[in-house]
């Protein structure tokens, strides 16, 4: 039995993307298949929920960056209201953070917009058949992220948000801290004297990303350099040596 023969009825798809020209191209590709049909389309996350209520689709194929409500928030609402609807994200972003967040909210697929048409169709059919599908380009990044999470847990970096610790330097969770979890990790490693390159290797992120986090830390702590940032964090009780 071929892939098309697995389905007893046409799979109904709602397409959500704020770029109409892109929607037209994807709709044309999908509607060439006898077992797939785009039955509705829209440009934001609020409209996609309304369309699902009206059209009762099997699949929602949705971008992340949309006005009014983004794809992450829309995915969470869709899974709460329509648990049987399968959500597939189709995005330009290959950052593992986006993938983790959308999968955590209930998406079953994460595709990239530069993929070939035949791969898009196969991915949709795979999700319809009950499988999860993640674009091969981001799979390696997900594996590295999982390795990083496992490694940090093994060396004593708490995953429960209550504290971060290693080699005598401890980040103390504090409700008054303006830093994000990732910025807190970078700050802790800065306190150990690690360079941007070393921090990137330790956290499995690029040196450029580390530089961006450091800049954000300096701005939030209203300081001019890394040393002042660490001193400020110690004075506020966010880092102990």
């Amino acid at each position: 039995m071929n892939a098309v023969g697995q389905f007893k009825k046409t799979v109904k798809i709602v397409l959500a993307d704020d770029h109409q020209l892109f929607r037209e191209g994807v709709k044309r590709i999908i509607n060439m298949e006898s077992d797939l049909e785009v039955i509705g389309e829209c440009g934001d996350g609020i409209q996609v929920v309304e369309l699902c209520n009206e059209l009762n689709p099997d699949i929602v194929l949705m971008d992340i960056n949309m006005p009014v409500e983004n794809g992450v928030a829309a995915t969470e609402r869709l899974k709460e209201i329509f648990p049987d609807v399968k959500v597939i994200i189709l995005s330009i972003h290959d950052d593992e953070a986006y993938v983790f967040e959308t999968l955590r909210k209930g998406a079953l697929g994460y595709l990239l917009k530069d993929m070939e048409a035949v791969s898009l169709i196969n991915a949709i059919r795979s999700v319809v058949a009950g499988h999860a599908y993640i674009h091969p380009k981001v799979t390696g990044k997900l594996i590295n992220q999982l390795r990083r999470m496992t490694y940090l847990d093994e060396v004593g970096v708490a995953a429960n948000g209550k504290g971060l610790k290693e080699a005598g330097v401890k980040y103390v969770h504090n409700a008054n801290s303006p830093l994000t979890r990732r910025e807190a990790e970078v700050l802790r490693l800065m306190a150990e004297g690690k360079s941007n390159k070393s921090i990137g290797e330790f956290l499995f992120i690029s040196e450029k990303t580390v530089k961006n986090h450091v800049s954000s830390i300096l701005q939030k702590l209203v300081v001019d350099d890394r040393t002042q940032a660490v001193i400020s964090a110690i004075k506020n009780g966010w880092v102990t040596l």
Side-chain angles (χ1 to χ4, degrees), residues 73-144:
T75 296
E76 184 173 26
R77 287 213 301 143
L78 283 172
K79 296 310 295 182
E80 289 177 353
I81 303 172
F82 312 104
D84 293 333
V85 173
K86 296 178 172 64
V87 177
I88 302 174
I89 299 298
L90 182 58
S91 174
I92 62 171
H93 299 290
D94 62 357
D95 190 317
E96 66 271 17
Y98 285 103
V99 186
F100 268 113
E101 187 64 12
T102 53
L103 295 180
R104 191 173 69 85
K105 298 297 185 183
L108 290 177
Y110 195 100
L111 315 178
L112 296 181
K113 289 185 175 182
D114 62 358
M115 69 192 306
E116 296 180 353
V118 65
S119 297
L120 171 64
I121 296 302
N122 289 337
I124 293 173
R125 287 176 177 153
S126 180
V127 171
V128 171
H131 308 295
Y133 188 98
I134 300 174
H135 193 286
K137 187 175 179 179
V138 298
T139 302
K141 293 188 175 185
L142 281 176
I143 292 172
N144 283 337

Side-chain angles (χ1 to χ4, degrees), residues 170-231:
K170 181 180 180 181
Y171 176 80
V172 181
H173 178 71
N174 188 311
N176 296 322
S177 172
L179 304 180
T180 65
R181 168 66 184 272
R182 177 49 63 85
E183 289 167 350
E185 292 177 339
V186 172
L187 175 62
R188 176 180 56 81
L189 296 171
M190 285 166 56
E192 294 179 1
K194 292 185 182 296
S195 66
N196 288 348
K197 181 178 180 181
S198 296
I199 293 173
E201 291 173 350
F202 185 86
L203 296 178
F204 293 99
I205 58 178
S206 70
E207 187 173 353
K208 180 180 179 181
T209 299
V210 175
K211 290 180 180 178
N212 290 338
H213 286 310
V214 172
S215 296
S216 178
I217 291 169
L218 299 183
Q219 182 178 8
K220 288 181 177 180
L221 300 185
V222 196
V223 295
D224 297 323
D225 56 46
R226 299 160 69 98
T227 301
Q228 291 180 21
V230 172
I231 292 173

Side-chain angles (χ1 to χ4, degrees), residues 16-34:
D17 192 289
D18 60 329
H19 292 92
Q20 184 174 357
L21 188 60
F22 178 78
R23 290 204 311 266
E24 288 297 325
V26 173
K27 181 169 66 173
R28 188 176 298 110
I29 290 170
I30 291 174
N31 286 346
M32 289 177 63
E33 305 298 318
S34 61

